[in-house]
C-alpha cells in the first residue's frame, strides 16, 4: 500500500509526520505551537531605528520682521535638502533621521507645523521642504524660550521610531521674557537625555532696543543649551543664515565636531551649567519696559 503523508495548510509536511504520533510527537507539537504563538508577526519584531530625532524649534516672535521670517524659513528649506546634509544622513549607522518642525513665541504660542517625518533620501527631504514652503508665515508676541523647550521635549513622546540621539535645535533672536525660566527648562529637558543646541539670531543691524541683546550667543551658551556636545551657532546677518543652519544640521546629524574648513561665523561653544544673572536679563528688560510705560 502506498504510504500517506500529512500536509499542513502551507503545503509542508505535518508536524506529526516529523515526529510520529506518539508521546514524543505530542511534546514536539506542543513546543512547536508555543513557539509559534510566542513569535510576533515579522512587522512587529523590529521597530524602525533612526540615527537622530531632531526637533527644529523656530522663533516666530514679533521681534523678527516678515523679511527675517522668510529668510529663516527659506534657510531651513535649503539646508534640509542640501547635499551636505544628505551626505551626513547617509553617513549614519541607519542612514535615516526623524525631523519635526515647530514654531514658538510666547508661553501660549507653540504649535507643530510639521509632525515627525523620516528623511532617508533626497525625495524625503524635498517633500519636507515642500510642506514647509507651503505653510503660511505667522508671528506672535513675547519670547518664552523655557516653555518652547518643554513643549519641544514633549514631542519625543509621540516619536514613531527609536532614536539613537534626541536633539532640540532652538533658534531665537532674544532672551526669555515670559514663562518658565530658560535654565530651569533646560535642566529638566537635559535630564531626559535630550540635547539642546542653539541658533541665536542677529539677522539685521538695528538701533539697540529693549529686546536686542548684543551677547545673545553668550546668553544661549549660558542659559539655553545643554547635554553632551551641546553647542551654539551664532548668526550675524541674514546672508549667513542658510550656511549657518546647514552647518548646524550637519553637526547635529554627524556629531559635535566641526567639519574641516568651517567658516569663522560658525562657532561651537560648550554649555555652562553655572547659575548666572545673565539668565534673568530678558525678564529684567521686560519689567523695565513695563515700568517705563506706566503713566
Amino acid at each position: 500500500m502506498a504510504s500517506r503523508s500529512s500536509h499542513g495548510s502551507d503545503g509542508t509536511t505535518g508536524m506529526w509526520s516529523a515526529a510520529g504520533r506518539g508521546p514524543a510527537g505530542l511534546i514536539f507539537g506542543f513546543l512547536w505551537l508555543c513557539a509559534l504563538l510566542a513569535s510576533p508577526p515579522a512587522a512587529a519584531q523590529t521597530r524602525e531605528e533612526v540615527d537622530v530625532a531632531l526637533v527644529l524649534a523656530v522663533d516666530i516672535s514679533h521681534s523678527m520682521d516678515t523679511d527675517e521670517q522668510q529668510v529663516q524659513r527659506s534657510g531651513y528649506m535649503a539646508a534640509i535638502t542640501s547635499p551636505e546634509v544628505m551626505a551626513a544622513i547617509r553617513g549614519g549607522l541607519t542612514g535615516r533621521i526623524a525631523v519635526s518642525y515647530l514654531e514658538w513665541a510666547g508661553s501660549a504660542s507653540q504649535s507643530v507645523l510639521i509632525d515627525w517625518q523620516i528623511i532617508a533620501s533626497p525625495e524625503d527631504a524635498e517633500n519636507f521642504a515642500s510642506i514647509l514652503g507651503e505653510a503660511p508665515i505667522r508671528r506672535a508676541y513675547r519670547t518664552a524660550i523655557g516653555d518652547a523647550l518643554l513643549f519641544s521635549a514633549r514631542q519625543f513622546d509621540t516619536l514613531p521610531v527609536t532614536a539613537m540621539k534626541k536633539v532640540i535645535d532652538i533658534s531665537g533672536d532674544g532672551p526669555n521674557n515670559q514663562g518658565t525660566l530658560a535654565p530651569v527648562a533646560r535642566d529638566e529637558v537635559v535630564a531626559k537625555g535630550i540635547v539642546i543646541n542653539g541658533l541665536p539670531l542677529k539677522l539685521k543691524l538695528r538701533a539697540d532696543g529693549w529686546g536686542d541683546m548684543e551677547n545673545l550667543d553668550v546668553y544661549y551658551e549660558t542659559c539655553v543649551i545643554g547635554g553632551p556636545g551641546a553647542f551654539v551657532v551664532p548668526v550675524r546677518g541674514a546672508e549667513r543664515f542658510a550656511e549657518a543652519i546647514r552647518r548646524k544640521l550637519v553637526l547635529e546629524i554627524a556629531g559635535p565636531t566641526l567639519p574641516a574648513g568651517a567658516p569663522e561665523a560658525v562657532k561651537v561653544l560648550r554649555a555652562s551649567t553655572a547659575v548666572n544673572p545673565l539668565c534673568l536679563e530678558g525678564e529684567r528688560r521686560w519689567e523695565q519696559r513695563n515700568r517705563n510705560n506706566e503713566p
Side-chain angles (χ1 to χ4, degrees):
M1 184 179 350
S3 62
R4 180 183 300 173
S5 63
S6 173
H7 294 273
S9 59
D10 60 353
T12 60
T13 302
M15 60 181 177
W16 303 116
S17 297
R21 292 182 175 82
L26 290 174
I27 294 172
F28 174 83
F30 176 76
L31 294 176
W32 179 85
L33 182 61
C34 288
L36 180 65
L37 294 176
S39 300
Q45 288 180 7
T46 58
R47 191 182 186 206
E48 187 176 9
E49 192 171 31
V50 297
D51 294 302
V52 182
L54 178 62
V55 172
L56 302 175
V58 180
D59 182 10
I60 60 166
S61 61
H62 270 272
S63 54
M64 294 180 64
D65 61 31
T66 52
D67 289 341
E68 290 172 310
Q69 296 279 15
Q70 186 58 61
V71 166
Q72 183 171 239
R73 177 72 63 83
S74 299
Y76 278 103
M77 292 170 61
I80 203 71
T81 57
S82 68
E84 296 91 338
V85 169
M86 287 309 307
I89 294 173
R90 287 194 297 269
L93 292 176
T94 70
R96 296 186 298 271
I97 66 171
V99 185
S100 176
Y101 187 103
L102 64 86
E103 297 178 330
W104 65 274
S107 292
S109 300
Q110 303 106 20
S111 61
V112 175
L113 193 61
I114 304 178
D115 207 350
W116 292 110
Q117 300 281 322
I118 304 300
I119 298 182
S121 68
E123 292 74 22
D124 296 334
E126 290 288 351
N127 181 62
F128 186 93
S130 177
I131 297 172
L132 186 56
E134 293 172 1
I137 291 178
R138 67 186 187 90
R139 300 165 72 197
Y141 290 101
R142 302 292 293 271
T143 302
I145 296 174
D147 291 333
L149 290 175
L150 297 177
F151 181 81
S152 297
R154 289 195 292 272
Q155 303 315 305
F156 293 104
D157 295 339
T158 62
L159 184 64
V161 294
T162 299
M164 299 182 187
K165 182 168 62 174
K166 298 177 181 179
V167 179
I168 296 172
D169 177 339
I170 185 164
S171 68
D173 73 335
N176 192 80
N177 61 40
Q178 187 182 43
T180 308
L181 295 178
V184 172
R186 173 200 61 196
D187 293 347
E188 182 176 331
V189 171
V190 170
K192 296 178 179 179
I194 302 169
V195 175
I196 304 168
N197 297 325
L199 192 73
L201 307 175
K202 194 81 169 180
L203 299 184
K204 284 188 177 181
L205 295 175
R206 53 168 65 93
D208 188 45
W210 71 268
D212 290 326
M213 195 173 197
E214 185 61 33
N215 59 339
L216 187 62
D217 53 346
V218 179
Y219 175 88
Y220 262 69
E221 177 194 3
T222 307
C223 313
V224 178
I225 68 170
F231 62 89
V232 301
V233 177
V235 184
R236 300 185 184 277
E239 72 282 358
R240 298 178 179 177
F241 184 86
E243 171 65 12
I245 189 60
R246 184 162 54 246
R247 293 284 186 176
K248 190 168 189 292
L249 290 178
V250 169
L251 287 172
E252 286 163 335
I253 295 166
T257 304
L258 271 175
E264 292 182 1
V266 182
K267 184 181 180 183
V268 174
L269 300 172
R270 297 298 176 185
S272 169
T273 57
V275 177
N276 194 310
L278 178 65
C279 299
L280 298 175
E281 180 65 15
E283 288 82 0
R284 185 193 66 77
R285 292 186 180 200
W286 183 264
E287 184 179 351
Q288 180 66 40
R289 176 179 181 270
N290 288 340
R291 282 202 302 266
N292 293 341
N293 289 339
E294 287 179 356

